[in-house]
Amino acid sequence: VAGSITRGTRGPTAGEMLRSTELTGETAAAQVRLDKIVTERVGKVNQLLAGMPHILAPPIRIVQ
């Protein structure tokens, strides 16, 4: 969608704008799911492996 919007001299179509809005919501939902996995699943693995080398996840940050 971004490529279609940035090419040419015309503005984005209504369909491109709609899809861009949909993608924004889908991306936010995917970020929530990923944050939950990192916090819950990876966090539990880290607790189980305390004192041993284990997965280190950076703090959760939201990219907008």
Side-chain angles (χ1 to χ4, degrees):
V1 172
S4 295
I5 292 171
T6 59
R7 280 180 282 181
T9 56
R10 67 168 178 81
T13 66
E16 290 168 342
M17 292 300 295
L18 174 62
R19 186 62 185 138
S20 179
T21 300
E22 291 170 347
L23 288 171
T24 300
E26 291 171 19
T27 301
Q31 184 69 55
V32 168
R33 290 191 308 272
L34 177 61
D35 291 346
K36 184 176 179 180
I37 290 169
V38 169
T39 300
E40 295 177 2
R41 294 182 185 181
V42 175
K44 287 179 184 177
V45 170
N46 286 343
Q47 287 176 350
L48 291 172
L49 298 174
M52 299 175 68
H54 56 278
I55 299 169
L56 297 175
I60 296 172
R61 65 178 189 157
I62 298 175
V63 178
Q64 296 182 358

